[in-house]
Amino acid sequence: MATVASTAAAVGTARSEGTPGRLFGRSIKLIVFYALLVVILAVFVTPYLFSVFASFKTLPDILAQSPARPPTSPTWANFKDIFTEYDFGRYLANTLIVTVILTAGQVLFSMMGAYAFARMEFPGRNWLFWMYLATLMVPNVVTLIPLYVMFAKSGLLNTYWAIFLPYVLGVPQAVFLMRQFFMTIPKEVMEAARLDGCSESRILFRIVVPISRPIIITATLLAVVFGWNNFLWPLIVTNSNSLDVLSVATANFNSNFSVQWNLILAASLVALIPMVILFAIFQKQIVRSISLTGINR
């Protein structure tokens, strides 16, 4: 009995001595982990911080001072100039119009295509879906010249139609995301609706859409970000300043003779603010949709 008691006491002592060591090791791991997160955060946030600083400086201050130095005498002249002298309000309105139309069409048609690929039976459905998805492997720059020729022959160049029409009928990314989510909805729900006399359109908009809100919000946000930041295609198909979008108008401040960094960074900040507000409003839905799509088959 004495031997057993002494052994138990020795084990208890060893455990009590080992606990602080484990706690110390765990603390070190947490410190290293959070230090790494801080470094990653600094890498991503620092360029935006420098841009904000520079947007409130004059051009001589930008060229003479360190980008990490906050403005000593902040000025709103850069923002005033882009809206008064360069008609930036028109470019903002153009971007908003194009983004709204592109997003509405892209989400609607992608949703309809995803439903057809997920829950409607027709010959060659899977083959057609994978062929459509394979277009993701083709870089967008490959299709620029054929698209440009098509719009030139149709007489649509230098119009709003030319800016958003190639993207408004759905994109493979959105179709794929929605299809994967729609396939997780039990078939019995849709079969019951069909027995009650619902058409496919009513099933989609009355049953599938309310259930699929997270993934639809994600597809909508992706479309908004793409439409808001789209640069190369609007640059190619428009040659009138009255049709310029924010990205093209901002690039126009860079010429062969001078680079107006103060106006470029002020315009970039104006274009960035709506995206930050959008993410702040819908961040919970974005995180939820990512977690849901991550576990879907």
Side-chain angles (χ1 to χ4, degrees):
M1 292 294 293
T3 304
V4 173
S6 60
T7 303
V11 170
T13 303
R15 286 180 178 176
S16 62
E17 291 178 353
T19 300
R22 287 199 298 271
L23 291 176
F24 179 76
R26 187 179 300 172
S27 301
I28 292 297
K29 289 180 180 179
L30 286 175
I31 291 172
V32 172
F33 175 72
Y34 284 110
L36 184 60
L37 289 181
V38 170
V39 171
I40 295 173
L41 178 66
V43 170
F44 281 96
V45 171
T46 299
Y48 293 98
L49 189 62
F50 289 175
S51 298
V52 172
F53 289 165
S55 63
F56 291 96
K57 296 179 181 179
T58 61
L59 184 57
D61 288 341
I62 293 174
L63 298 177
Q65 298 175 0
S66 168
R69 181 179 176 181
T72 53
S73 54
T75 176
W76 292 91
N78 299 328
F79 299 95
K80 181 182 177 181
D81 289 345
I82 63 175
F83 281 101
T84 56
E85 296 184 17
Y86 295 95
D87 200 14
F88 217 69
R90 176 187 290 273
Y91 308 142
L92 193 62
N94 290 342
T95 307
L96 185 61
I97 292 171
V98 170
T99 302
V100 169
I101 296 175
L102 185 149
T103 301
Q106 195 173 115
V107 172
L108 176 63
F109 289 107
S110 295
M111 191 164 52
M112 294 167 64
Y115 177 76
F117 284 129
R119 290 306 181 202
M120 295 182 68
E121 299 291 338
F122 55 89
R125 182 189 68 175
N126 292 333
W127 178 84
L128 184 61
F129 171 71
W130 291 114
M131 286 293 293
Y132 179 62
L133 199 63
T135 58
L136 286 172
M137 304 296 292
V138 181
N140 289 333
V141 69
V142 174
T143 60
L144 284 181
I145 294 177
L147 276 175
Y148 182 86
V149 172
M150 289 171 57
F151 279 92
K153 297 291 184 181
S154 304
L156 294 176
L157 290 181
N158 204 37
T159 63
Y160 285 112
W161 290 96
I163 300 176
F164 61 75
L165 198 56
Y167 310 102
V168 79
L169 298 179
V171 291
Q173 299 95 322
V175 172
F176 174 74
L177 284 175
M178 293 186 188
R179 174 187 178 269
Q180 296 305 103
F181 194 96
F182 292 169
M183 290 182 68
T184 63
I185 301 174
K187 289 183 178 179
E188 292 76 13
V189 176
M190 301 176 192
E191 293 296 336
R194 290 190 182 99
L195 290 175
D196 288 339
C198 284
S199 63
E200 295 298 332
S201 60
R202 291 191 66 186
I203 293 174
L204 173 61
F205 292 105
R206 295 291 181 89
I207 298 175
V208 176
V209 170
I211 296 175
S212 309
R213 229 156 146 206
I215 197 62
I216 292 174
I217 290 175
T218 299
T220 302
L221 293 175
L222 291 175
V224 168
V225 172
F226 172 79
W228 192 264
N229 296 324
N230 195 14
F231 170 72
L232 186 57
W233 181 247
L235 176 67
I236 292 174
V237 296
T238 59
N239 54 26
S240 172
N241 288 336
S242 62
L243 292 174
D244 280 348
V245 294
L246 283 175
S247 54
V248 177
T250 302
N252 288 338
F253 291 128
N254 183 2
S255 67
N256 293 329
F257 303 100
S258 65
V259 181
Q260 303 178 73
W261 290 114
N262 54 330
L263 301 183
I264 290 175
L265 294 170
S268 300
L269 185 59
V270 170
L272 176 65
I273 288 174
M275 296 296 100
V276 174
I277 294 174
L278 194 69
F279 177 79
I281 294 173
F282 293 103
Q283 58 178 327
K284 291 183 179 179
Q285 287 84 350
I286 294 172
V287 173
R288 185 184 173 201
S289 65
I290 292 173
S291 64
L292 286 174
T293 54
I295 60 176
N296 288 342
R297 55 188 173 88

